[in-house]
Structures are given as C-alpha cells and as structure tokens.
C-alpha cells in the first residue's frame, strides 16, 4: 500500500503501475486540483478495493452507497483540473529553487534541474530573519487572509516554534501555495503548491525581495 500524498501526476508512472496493490491520497492535495474541499481517494486491485469498501461502509453495501456530502461534482472537477494544478505547482517550485540558488542558497532540495517525485520544495534559509520574512511574504501575497501577520508559534508535536504561511481558499489545502517551517537552525522551509504559475511566480518574487531586503538591512 502506498500513501502517495503530494506525489500524484508528478512522474509518468504512478505506484499502481509498478506493483502497488492499493494507492491512497488526499484530495486536498494534487488530485483535488484545488477544487475539492475535502476527501481522499483509494485506488487499486479490485479485490482489495472491495474489501476496503466493505469496511468503510458495511459488508454487502461496499461502494454502492456512502456519504459524499453532495461533493461528487467537486471531486470530479478537481480530478479534471489536477494535471494543470500540479503542473503549475511544479513550475512554481522549480522557479523558486532556481532563483534561490542564484541568490546563494545552495542547500535546496530538489535543485531546479533535479528529478522531482513530489510537489514539495525544501529550502534552507540560513537565518530566522530570512525564514520569517519569506513566510510572511508568501502569506501577504496570498489570495485569502493576505492581511494576516504570521508569527512563529508553539505547535503540538513540535519541540520548537513553527511558522506557517497558508492563505488558501480551502483551509489545509496544500496544492495551494503554502509554506511551513520549524524555527530552528538551519531554518529549513517546506513549501508546496501554486494553483497557477503566474500567481506562484509573483508570490515567490515578492518573497525573494523581502529576503533580499532582510539581507541588505
Ligand atoms: C496530508 C497527508 C495526509 C492527510 O490528508 P488529509 O486529506 O489532510 O486528511 C495523510 N498522509 C500524508 C503522507 C499526508 O501528507
């Protein structure tokens, strides 16, 4: 069984093509295309899907009935839009990786020209000031909650303060441009998403400008 969160549509082959019996993921990420507001998917061998369906609803009912909160249209529209959303997210992150490397941030994974297996970009921003400036700028250029001034704060499960930028239409949706980081050395930021490349590029350019301002202070 493969949890393919963040991985869908990034590579030419999906886990099912190379032997996974069951593949699962969240529709608040790649396959929801930024349209689905909740939900997930389970795909795979008929035998296992039927067993899973019987557990999720009840034996004999299986996939024939179940709660969908009238969201089916959003699910299908999301899957339809997903290749485009994933493309934009990848282009946004490749642009970020390229520009940051040019600015001398060399601890970046993946590098702009490296093979990608998911939509996540990891960047070491070296100082807390850079990190906070970058994250604040991502928030400030978001389509929703752009006026929110984000701060590093305690978070359950983390031994240190965490800063999170997510001005998303759907709360928690990480196919939308978002970033989060534990505020400890070496100030590593995890960034993903970008529903359109045009918006993603603008947002990254603004974040880079704020980091440059911070460095030149
Ligand atoms: C996001 C994520 C989930 C949860 O998905 P939700 O739709 O938010 O519940 C589960 N597993 C992994 C690996 C994830 O990244």
């Amino acid at each position: 069984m493969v949890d393919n969160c963040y991985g869908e549509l990034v590579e030419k082959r999906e886990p099912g093509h190379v032997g996974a019996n069951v593949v699962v993921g969240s529709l608040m990420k790649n396959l929801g295309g930024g349209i689905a507001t909740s939900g997930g998917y389970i795909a795979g061998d008929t035998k296992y899907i039927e067993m899973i369906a019987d557990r999720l609803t009840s034996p004999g009912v299986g996939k024939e009935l179940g709660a969908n909160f009238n969201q089916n249209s959003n699910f299908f529209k999301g899957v339809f839009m997903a290749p485009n959303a994933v493309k934009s997210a990848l282009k946004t992150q490749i642009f970020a990786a390229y520009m940051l490397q040019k600015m001398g941030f060399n601890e970046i994974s993946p590098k702009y020209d490296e093979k990608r297996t998911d939509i996540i970009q990891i960047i070491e921003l070296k100082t807390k000031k850079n990190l906070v400036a970058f994250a604040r700028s991502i928030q400030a250029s978001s389509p929703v909650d752009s006026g929110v001034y984000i701060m590093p704060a305690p978070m359950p499960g983390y031994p240190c303060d965490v800063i999170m930028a997510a001005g998303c239409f759907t709360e928690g949706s990480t196919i939308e441009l978002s970033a989060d980081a534990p505020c400890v050395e070496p100030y590593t930021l995890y960034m993903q998403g970008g529903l359109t490349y045009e918006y993603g590029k603008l947002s990254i350019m603004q974040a880079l400008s704020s980091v440059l301002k911070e460095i030149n202070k």
Side-chain angles (χ1 to χ4, degrees), residues 3-6 25-29 38-40 172 174:
D3 179 340
N4 198 25
C5 273
Y6 296 112
S26 167
L27 291 183
M28 290 170 84
K29 298 173 187 164
S38 183
T174 43

